[in-house]
Structures are given as C-alpha cells and as structure tokens.
Amino acid sequence: MMVDRATKWIEEAEVVIVGYGGAGAVAAITAHDAGAKVLILEKQPNDTPTQTRHTPNTRMSGGAWFCSTDLEKAVLYLEGMAKIANEALDRERKEMIHVLAQHLIDNTDWMVKIGVELGGDESVSPTFSMEPKHKGMNGKVFAPDFPELPGSDGTYLSYPKITGKYRHGVALFRGLTEAVRKRKIQVIWETQATHLLTRGGKICGMKAKRKGKEVAIKASRAVVLTCGGFEFNQEMKENYLRVNPVHFYGNPGNTGDGINMAMEVGAALWHMNKASWRVTMKFPDFPIAFGTQHHSTAILVDRKGYRFTNEKFKLHSFGYELTNYDTYGLCYPKVPCYWIFDEKRRTLGPLASVHGACNPPGGILGDIYYVWSPDNQREIDRGWIMRANTIDELANKIRTDLDNGGMMNPSLLQATVKRYNEHCRKGEDDDFHKPKEWLQPLEGPPYYAVQLWPGGPNTQGGPKRNVKGQVLSVDNTPIPRLYSAGELGSVWGMFYQGGGNISECIAFGRIAGVHAASEKVLK
C-alpha cells in the first residue's frame, strides 16, 4: 500500500518492531543499542496486576535455547537435518546454516551480557550439555533430537536462571522485557499492524488498528516483522499444513498477520507446511491445546486400535507420522489417535506438560491458563479423559466418540494391548523397538484413553528471509527496509531441534535489529 500526502502519522520511529515476543524484544534491544530510535507495536493488551494478557510464545515456552560448542559440529548437525529432509543444500541454504550455526555458539554470550546489565537477577544459568552421559537441570539428561547425525555431540541447551517464582519461558521473557524497559523503548499496546506502507518501492511505515480506528505509524529506517506464525488462523492451517485439524498450544494472538502484510508487498513465502510437530490434547471447552508429557508408560493407537509407533518418539517431528491420508477409508486414520494407559500412569502425574497454557510457572495468570490436577482426576471428571474397567469397555467408549466416527475395533484394541504386554514381559519390542527401559505393561484396571491431535507450540512458515534478516520478494531480492525474525518465516525446515525457535529469536533478532538500524533515514 503506497503512502500518500494525506497520511497523518500518529507515531514515528526509525525502526518499528511489529510483535513483542522474544524475537521482537531482541530486535528492539539490538536496534536501540546500534543507535536507532525504536518503537514496538503489540496487538495484545499489556498485563494487569491480576491478569496475564500478553502471551507470546517465548513466554509460554520451556525457556531453553539450542546452542553448540563448535562451529564445525553445528554446521554438520544442521546440514544433516536438511539432508534427511531431502532439502537441497544449495549455496543459499549453506550460507543460512553457517550464519545460524555461528549464532548458536555466541547467542548465550549475548544473553549473559543482557543478564549482567540487569545486575544478575535474571542472568543465564550454566549451560547443560546434551551429551548422553551429562545430567543437566533437575537431573534430566538432554539429548539432541537427532543424535544419529554428525555434530550432535556438540549440542546443548541454555536456560535462564531460575530465581524465585520465575522459571521456564516466564523467566526468559522477563529478562528480555526488563532489558527493553531499561532502555526506555516505547511499546504501543493493543495496536494491530494491518498493512505495510511504501514510498518509492521502499517500506516507510504501516497502517494499524488501534481502539477501533485505523492509524498510520512511520518507520524512517526499517520495519522488522516479529509477529509470530499462524497457529490460530484456521484458513491458513487448512491451506498450508499437511493435515487437518491441527491444534496448537502457543499464543492465540498468532493469526498470520505478518504473512498477509508481507505478501501484500510481494514477499516470497517458505516453510509454510512446516511446524514444530508434536501431539497435543484439545478439548472443546478450553480455547487452546495442551502439550503432553512422555508416553513411555502407555501406548499410542490409531482410530481403529492399531499401535503404530515407538512411544519414545522424536519429540519435535512426531506429528509428521499422523499426516498420511487414507484414500480408501476417506480419513486421516491417526487423527485423532489415542493415548491408552492404565491406573499406574494416571497416578504418576499430570498428562499435560508445563509448556503453553498448562500448569503455568510463577507470574502467569489469566483466562487461558489452566492448572492441571496432579493425579488427572479433575480432567477425568470433566470428561477430558475416558475411563473404563476393561479394554473392551474403553474401546466402546472411544468408538462412540464423535471424532472417532465408529472406527475403533474393541477386539483389535484388546489384541494390541495383549501383544504390547507380551513385548514388555520379554523386554523387547519386536514391532517398534521401544527401548527396554520404557517398556511398561498396561496392568490396570481401570484403563484410560485421551485423544491426541497433530499440533505443537508453533508453525514455522512465513516470508522468506536472507542471512541479513531481510524479507525477500518473489524474485529473491530484498524488499527494501523490511526485515523479519523469529518463527514468522523461520529458517527451520522440515525438521526442528528442541530449543531451536528461541535460539533463532535471539540470532535473527540480533541480525535483523542491527541491519535495520543501519538503514539510511528516509526523509
């Protein structure tokens, strides 16, 4: 949309950041420190003393970012991920991988610097090796998503320091927002950017909706789009993702705004059918999905009752296993699939993970947050979890579930559970090679089932960017004065490494911020 002489700017800055999540905060900090006057636009409202209303994915995340100890190993690992996805390792992709790999090494130094500026209150904790024998935070052992690839032994995770009630993504985002506050960077809340404005083919600002009115905001150097993916845009999900429905547990404000704005000025898109693919629980009476804890003491079955996978799956790519359509059955046979478990698993702890909207860490309040019961009993009472005294009874309950469509076969589910228990007794999973230590028989009763859907924290697609963070047009040339960072047009392709989105927020937030600040002022 071209700017005209009648345009009245209600605000002006040299660099305007659209979207106040992790990438937006890092881009704003970096552009400010490079000497630019910075303004952040955020469509969600600011928090109140009693309610958390600003819910970027960084805040709702596990809070860790993926790192590497060695540039060569980082490049090998990232190139290996591209190769197993059959993604062409052309010059452009290799350059992108090299830039990302370099930032995987020095991201933490940058974060430590931000922490030190805050007096150490929210500084970065010691990094925890992902090497198999090294125990990290809370005694957990971290492993790369693809340990079979070369270079994986040089990967690890970094976490923000856990201080007081703040932990996970809350601690991470608090540190970043404090750094923004310290720099006195202006944030305009409840203002949704709708159209990018151009002058002479260059981005010079945007139209936005604010309190029901259309307003114009000027960016005299550049605009940086950091407004997330399209997890809560049903039309985009149906048209771009590999399966439908898909249910996410991230920020409900991520509705693809940046994609629409970038397309309007001629941007190319990439990675639109990619996501951080997990499985989620989604219930009609709650607005967003829930992530899941591990499934080791259980089995996963399709709509008919067939076990179809190793439940010790690759955490961030498992959703791809659910995307095959059956043209004879006229359905996705694994959408939904079912998590079948017994009384032992029910009492172990919550089914839902602490990420997203569930079991929120300190400082999180509000309507979309839910505290899952420690023994899952409240969720059974709500009807979210099915319970039965026998496998046959459980199968019949699943069969009558509307999403199952009558496909569940009680005899087949009984046979599936019997075969799995036999694998557990002999200590070897002949079907899917689940590790011996994870083979736990279903001993009930009672027995339980819960629906699982393809989904996860976020999508990865959006406007294509180059190594400078510039948004590229359909002819692969930069759109003047337009940048992006974070999951909006993420550099991650088909496969994703845990902690990768936050590492990218830090990396390309820094890259986009410094290059945006270096643009000449447009008079």
Side-chain angles (χ1 to χ4, degrees):
M1 182 179 291
M2 293 181 61
V3 68
D4 56 43
R5 293 183 178 179
T7 300
K8 294 182 179 180
W9 308 108
I10 66 155
E11 298 283 354
E12 179 178 348
E14 292 175 330
V15 175
V16 177
I17 312 292
V18 181
Y20 191 15
V26 173
I29 292 165
T30 307
H32 173 278
D33 291 358
K37 179 184 177 183
V38 180
L39 172 67
I40 301 174
L41 297 187
E42 172 52 48
K43 67 187 286 188
Q44 292 186 311
N46 196 4
D47 295 342
T48 70
T50 60
Q51 189 177 43
T52 299
R53 304 190 297 173
H54 178 215
T55 57
N57 277 349
T58 298
R59 191 177 199 172
M60 300 173 76
S61 73
W65 56 96
F66 171 56
C67 306
S68 183
T69 56
D70 180 273
L71 180 60
E72 182 178 355
K73 287 185 176 182
V75 169
L76 280 173
Y77 187 58
L78 296 174
E79 287 187 349
M81 291 174 65
K83 288 176 182 176
I84 60 177
N86 294 320
E87 294 167 347
L89 274 172
D90 53 18
R91 180 181 60 82
E92 186 178 48
R93 186 179 295 276
K94 284 188 174 182
E95 287 178 354
M96 183 66 74
I97 284 174
H98 193 276
V99 168
L100 178 59
Q102 181 61 63
H103 283 75
L104 294 181
I105 293 171
D106 59 25
N107 269 346
T108 300
D109 290 339
W110 187 87
M111 291 294 288
V112 168
K113 179 174 179 287
I114 297 301
V116 169
E117 289 177 352
L118 295 169
D121 181 50
E122 290 294 334
S123 64
V124 176
S125 67
T127 56
F128 296 98
S129 171
M130 294 175 73
E131 296 174 6
K133 294 183 180 179
H134 186 95
K135 289 190 176 182
M137 187 176 64
N138 300 328
K140 295 179 181 178
V141 178
F142 292 107
D145 280 43
F146 302 94
E148 62 270 37
L149 296 179
S152 62
D153 60 337
T155 59
Y156 63 94
L157 293 178
S158 281
Y159 283 86
K161 182 184 290 182
I162 299 174
T163 57
K165 64 181 180 179
Y166 299 105
R167 52 193 172 93
H168 302 302
V170 175
L172 172 63
F173 194 61
R174 181 172 182 264
L176 291 173
T177 55
E178 284 297 304
V180 169
R181 181 196 58 78
K182 178 181 178 181
R183 287 162 174 76
K184 299 181 180 179
I185 296 170
Q186 183 182 4
V187 180
I188 301 180
W189 300 95
E190 299 183 76
T191 303
Q192 180 180 0
T194 55
H195 303 281
L196 291 166
L197 295 174
T198 63
R199 181 192 298 167
K202 298 177 180 180
I203 303 298
C204 64
M206 71 210 60
K207 289 285 182 72
K209 290 181 180 178
R210 185 182 186 188
K211 297 181 179 179
K213 296 181 180 180
E214 186 176 71
V215 297
I217 297 167
K218 184 177 181 179
S220 61
R221 292 186 188 271
V223 169
V224 184
L225 298 176
T226 58
C227 41
F230 56 97
E231 298 91 78
F232 292 86
N233 184 316
Q234 184 59 32
E235 183 179 5
M236 283 188 178
K237 289 192 295 182
E238 288 180 6
N239 281 281
Y240 292 124
L241 296 181
R242 299 166 184 248
V243 64
N244 184 60
V246 182
H247 298 296
F248 290 94
Y249 58 81
N251 179 14
N254 285 2
T255 54
D257 303 355
I259 296 171
N260 288 330
M261 286 188 288
M263 289 177 66
E264 193 175 33
V265 295
L269 301 181
W270 67 349
H271 303 157
M272 291 300 292
N273 63 348
K274 310 299 193 296
S276 176
W277 282 110
R278 298 190 183 209
V279 284
T280 64
M281 299 179 289
K282 177 66 177 73
F283 310 108
D285 55 340
F286 199 78
I288 70 175
F290 295 94
T292 60
Q293 298 281 28
H294 65 78
H295 311 89
S296 60
T297 55
I299 59 172
L300 301 183
V301 301
D302 67 11
R303 291 169 66 179
K304 292 184 178 180
Y306 286 106
R307 181 171 174 242
F308 64 89
T309 192
N310 177 345
E311 291 81 9
K312 181 70 168 65
F313 50 73
K314 292 186 184 297
L315 188 61
H316 298 96
S317 53
F318 177 66
Y320 289 118
E321 294 192 33
L322 311 184
T323 61
N324 291 334
Y325 190 82
D326 180 351
T327 57
Y328 291 96
L330 302 179
C331 69
Y332 290 101
K334 302 169 189 173
V335 181
C337 60
Y338 292 86
W339 183 0
I340 309 296
F341 56 97
D342 61 7
E343 181 71 1
K344 178 174 57 180
R345 172 61 188 91
R346 196 271 299 174
T347 60
L348 278 179
L351 298 188
S353 71
V354 297
H355 300 164
C358 189
N359 298 333
I364 290 289
L365 303 164
D367 293 340
I368 72 165
Y369 293 100
Y370 179 85
V371 178
W372 197 282
S373 64
D375 60 359
N376 303 291
Q377 186 59 53
R378 182 165 63 248
E379 292 68 39
I380 294 170
D381 295 340
R382 292 187 69 151
W384 291 0
I385 302 171
M386 296 175 236
R387 177 169 56 189
N389 290 321
T390 66
I391 294 295
D392 184 75
E393 181 188 351
L394 186 66
N396 279 301
K397 285 192 173 186
I398 296 172
R399 185 178 179 84
T400 59
D401 179 76
L402 290 177
D403 293 314
N404 182 261
M407 295 182 67
M408 179 59 64
N409 184 321
S411 297
L412 178 55
L413 183 59
Q414 286 180 325
T416 296
V417 172
K418 180 180 178 182
R419 180 172 177 81
Y420 176 73
N421 285 345
E422 289 172 353
H423 293 329
C424 294
R425 281 192 286 272
K426 72 176 184 179
E428 186 173 355
D429 179 7
D430 296 330
D431 294 334
F432 299 104
H433 311 292
K434 190 175 182 177
K436 181 177 180 179
E437 63 272 20
W438 284 57
L439 287 172
Q440 301 290 330
L442 275 66
E443 297 173 326
Y447 297 97
Y448 302 89
V450 66
Q451 288 180 343
L452 297 178
W453 302 87
N458 61 283
T459 57
Q460 306 288 14
K464 184 179 179 182
R465 71 172 77 117
N466 64 15
V467 294
K468 294 182 178 180
Q470 294 171 299
V471 173
L472 300 177
S473 68
V474 292
D475 65 2
N476 220 40
T477 59
I479 296 174
R481 301 174 182 266
L482 183 62
Y483 295 81
S484 74
E487 72 174 71
L488 175 65
S490 167
V491 300
W492 293 104
M494 177 175 175
F495 291 127
Y496 168 84
Q497 166 63 48
N501 276 129
I502 292 180
S503 66
E504 181 182 16
C505 285
I506 303 169
F508 275 89
R510 294 161 57 201
I511 291 168
V514 72
H515 283 98
S518 71
E519 296 277 6
K520 292 182 179 179
V521 172
L522 187 65
K523 301 296 185 180

